[in-house]
Amino acid sequence: MVQVFQAPVSADDVKAKAASLGIDLVGIADGKVMDAHPPDPANPLRPCDISDYDADRVIVLGKRHNIGSTRLTRWDERHKYYNDELNITMLEEASLELVLWLEDRGYPGLIIPPTHVDPWTYQGEPDAPLGTILSLTHAAVEAGLGTLGLNQQLLTPEFGPRVVLSAVLSSVPVEPDTKRDETLCLGPACGRCLLACPGDVIGHWDRDWQACNRHRSPHGFQALTEHVERMIDEPDNEKKKEMLRSPEQFSLWQSILRGAGVVTGCRRCQDVCPIGEDYARLADAVDDIAEANDEKRSRLAAMIEAEGAGALPASYDAAGRWIGALQVQPNED
Ligand code: SF4
Ligand code: SF4
């Protein structure tokens, strides 16, 4: 019956429409393939868990970060958080426009924004990392946009990891894209993300997401609850008042206002990654890594040695589908 309302739409039509809305990267994943391959089988966030009817395709949209803001090299730069938040706003608006365009042609759609966390998954622990209702980075890999890197960030050939993502679910019957087989990441022989990470939270094809959160969301819910708890516990009323008027409270207020510093924050690992056609336009600002040290370098050397001996970590085994086949092992030559 609903077919009466449906106009023919191709994958090229969807991509052209997204491009006309200012989207830089578009890929289309097969929802059924994603249903069959949840990134975390213990907590399978699948398209079919979101919609019974409108999840046959996952249209993944990517907007590049501004080059100028990437060239601000401090990780804790509010101006940078704000620029990134504006990118997210634009991406979310374009996602809505795309849904309305699909619905005008007879195909209902749903947005998976990069900022929405299912409140039912919150377990009363402000420091526990919570993700989007569908992993957008894994969806992007399934949609052929790139592969995951050493710290499981999405790498794309065009912009490396310097993209923000959203997705649109719809059962529009268009041809899906296919996943890349080979990884784009240069692995521990590069390791620039690990060298630059201010929280030192990057492992061997892995990341400590909880520790990363303190940097990725520096004025987020965790920081807010800790600040309020400190104020409640402070017995001296004058000090309590100072805390109320402190720069920390001001940053929290500004972050609540726009989300800058909550849904945006550290992206040092993205900035320094040499993958992406855009890197040549950034390199003079990000080539040097002030956070690098010998201890980090020796950890990378141990990873290279382990891979050379054929020992890949369990994190690679679990995420290999999205990381892709590794490039030439660093010590094979
Ligand atoms: S976002 Fe920041 S803290 Fe998290 S892995 Fe990247 S560089 Fe490290
Ligand atoms: S910085 Fe190097 S190791 Fe890290 S994700 Fe990019 S290519 Fe991979």
Side-chain angles (χ1 to χ4, degrees):
M1 179 63 187
V2 286
Q3 278 95 332
V4 173
F5 304 105
Q6 292 174 343
V9 172
S10 69
D12 284 347
D13 294 336
V14 171
K15 292 177 184 180
K17 180 62 192 175
S20 77
L21 295 169
I23 295 300
D24 296 308
L25 299 174
V26 195
I28 301 173
D30 185 327
K32 295 282 182 288
V33 171
M34 290 185 63
D35 289 343
H37 298 282
D40 177 4
N43 180 27
L45 304 167
R46 298 164 299 193
C48 66
D49 298 318
I50 299 170
S51 170
D52 291 334
Y53 305 105
D54 300 314
D56 285 357
R57 295 290 177 267
V58 181
I59 304 166
V60 183
L61 310 175
K63 183 76 197 148
R64 70 169 177 84
H65 282 303
N66 320 0
I67 292 174
S69 63
T70 299
R71 288 162 61 86
L72 299 174
T73 55
R74 265 183 51 183
W75 78 264
D76 55 347
E77 168 67 75
R78 280 204 70 86
H79 189 192
K80 185 164 173 150
Y81 304 162
Y82 203 98
N83 271 259
D84 291 357
E85 193 280 323
L86 291 174
N87 269 0
I88 290 177
T89 299
M90 185 270 170
L91 181 65
E92 290 179 341
E93 285 177 7
S95 305
L96 176 60
E97 290 289 336
L98 185 64
V99 164
L100 298 177
W101 180 85
L102 284 165
E103 295 196 341
D104 283 347
R105 280 148 189 79
Y107 306 101
L110 278 164
I111 303 168
I112 311 295
T115 51
H116 173 52
V117 169
D118 183 352
W120 292 105
T121 59
Y122 177 63
Q123 302 289 323
E125 295 163 16
D127 58 343
L130 293 174
T132 44
I133 58 175
L134 188 71
S135 169
L136 292 170
T137 48
H138 292 83
V141 175
E142 297 289 355
L145 293 183
T147 61
L148 301 189
L150 186 67
N151 66 344
Q152 303 211 1
Q153 63 186 349
L154 175 75
L155 308 182
T156 67
E158 297 86 354
F159 309 110
R162 293 166 287 278
V163 287
V164 283
L165 300 169
S166 77
V168 165
L169 299 193
S170 177
S171 290
V172 59
V174 295
E175 191 64 26
D177 292 298
T178 49
K179 201 168 65 59
R180 302 171 73 98
D181 292 331
E182 302 270 316
T183 188
L184 292 166
C185 180
L186 305 172
C190 161
R192 285 174 56 83
C193 49
L194 186 152
L195 292 173
C197 177
D200 203 3
V201 303
I202 297 176
H204 195 182
W205 302 109
D206 204 1
R207 175 187 327 197
D208 178 343
W209 291 96
Q210 187 161 342
C212 172
N213 253 12
R214 288 215 168 258
H215 294 79
R216 272 196 312 161
S217 180
H219 306 299
F221 187 58
Q222 181 182 9
L224 176 69
T225 52
E226 287 173 359
H227 181 66
V228 172
E229 275 168 16
R230 279 194 298 274
M231 281 202 292
I232 291 169
D233 293 344
E234 174 54 59
D236 183 320
N237 276 342
E238 277 312 307
K239 284 195 185 144
K240 218 188 264 273
K241 231 187 262 179
E242 275 168 33
M243 289 167 86
L244 198 59
R245 295 168 179 167
S246 64
E248 192 180 356
Q249 173 97 347
F250 182 73
S251 287
L252 288 163
W253 172 75
Q254 276 208 315
S255 298
I256 289 169
L257 206 59
R258 255 330 263 259
V262 178
V263 295
T264 57
C266 178
R267 61 171 165 101
R268 201 57 190 128
C269 48
Q270 294 166 265
D271 299 349
V272 300
C273 177
I275 302 301
E277 289 157 16
D278 62 336
Y279 187 74
R281 298 163 70 186
L282 311 163
D284 61 326
V286 297
D287 248 3
D288 286 342
I289 297 179
E291 301 90 340
N293 60 42
D294 287 344
E295 200 277 320
K296 288 179 173 178
R297 285 192 195 93
S298 67
R299 250 184 287 144
L300 285 169
M303 292 177 198
I304 294 170
E305 196 177 328
E307 288 191 12
L312 282 165
S315 49
Y316 179 84
D317 295 339
R321 174 179 174 84
W322 301 281
I323 293 169
L326 298 186
Q327 303 194 21
V328 179
Q329 296 292 315
N331 63 353
E332 274 182 6
D333 52 18

